[in-house]
Amino acid sequence: YQRRVRGARSSQMSPRVAAWGLWFSLATLAIQALVYSLPGIHHRAIVSIGTLTGQSAADAEHFYQAAYGYLDSRQLVFRTHMLSSGLWILLGLHQIWSQAAQPKCLGGWHRWLGKAYCVWSVVCAVSSLVLGEATSNGWWLMWAIRLFAPWTVLCSVMAWRAASGHRVEQHRVWACRSLGMMAGAFGTRVAAMTMMYGLGLFSEEDLVVDAHRQAFYSAAFWFGFGVPAVMVELWWVPSQSAGSRNKQQ
């Protein structure tokens, strides 16, 4: 009997631990984005990471110029993108926490911070479109940005409109779609780490070569944003629809 109780407790704890792990990872990513919005930090961080992973300073600088050199002439847009993405993620995490912790007591703070969440998500998406049109990392990445950035704007605007019209179920569906795009920022990092260190498909040396780097970033972006978007449509939206039908019955 005690073994069954322990097994039940562990099965209940594992999703909670996974949720907290994802929450912490997204919060860390948001803080990193806010730090990268400061002048010169992103350049120094990329070069430092390269030298720590075994590259020479010259190779690390060469990689930065090849992958991110186009950002040097677009620093205002890039810093706006980093600032807005960090605030977008932090506000999204607050909305998730407030919904889970106090579902019956959602008041003014949830509404006002939700509006701020929508605004910063739109700023982040639009700035990513501007940067994506100038990217040196390939057409596939550019088209991924052209797809997911407008979808992010649409989801946030529709969530705002549904909330303004007091259509609660529609608001939850569109808000979760927007949050799925927010999770894509973390999913891109997971896809990149999996391809490089888990599957061994790429190495640091490969990323200096244009064709390999373009394939790496494009695949990471498509999987990182595409998988959360598909999961939302296949799992969360049907569950919300079923929950609303049960309430009506």
Side-chain angles (χ1 to χ4, degrees), residues 8-158:
R9 288 178 179 174
S10 61
S11 63
Q12 293 174 359
M13 286 295 293
S14 55
R16 187 177 301 177
V17 171
W20 276 107
L22 178 60
W23 195 96
F24 178 78
S25 300
L26 283 168
T28 304
L29 182 62
I31 294 172
Q32 180 193 47
L34 293 175
V35 172
Y36 278 178
S37 68
L38 299 175
I41 297 296
H42 179 254
H43 186 173
R44 279 176 281 186
I46 296 298
V47 173
S48 299
I49 292 172
T51 55
L52 289 174
T53 56
Q55 291 180 325
S56 66
D59 288 341
E61 180 64 28
H62 175 67
F63 167 73
Y64 174 84
Q65 293 301 329
Y68 304 106
Y70 70 97
L71 297 176
D72 291 342
S73 60
R74 300 168 179 83
Q75 277 298 298
L76 179 60
V77 179
F78 172 71
R79 289 163 59 186
T80 300
H81 179 67
M82 288 291 101
L83 176 64
S84 59
S85 62
L87 293 175
W88 176 30
I89 293 173
L90 290 178
L91 288 168
L93 292 175
H94 174 272
Q95 296 302 87
I96 295 172
W97 173 82
S98 63
Q99 177 72 24
Q102 298 176 329
K104 297 182 180 180
C105 303
L106 298 179
W109 278 109
H110 183 83
R111 288 192 295 270
W112 282 106
L113 291 178
K115 292 178 181 179
Y117 166 90
C118 291
V119 169
W120 286 115
S121 69
V122 170
V123 173
C124 180
V126 172
S127 60
S128 71
L129 274 174
V130 175
L131 295 174
E133 293 302 312
T135 182
S136 59
N137 293 315
W139 281 91
W140 283 105
L141 176 60
M142 185 183 296
W143 278 104
I145 296 174
R146 288 175 177 175
L147 172 65
F148 292 121
W151 176 245
T152 300
V153 173
L154 176 64
C155 293
S156 297
V157 170
M158 293 299 293

Side-chain angles (χ1 to χ4, degrees), residues 243-249:
S244 61
R245 287 195 300 268
N246 293 333
K247 288 181 181 179
Q248 293 175 359
Q249 293 175 358

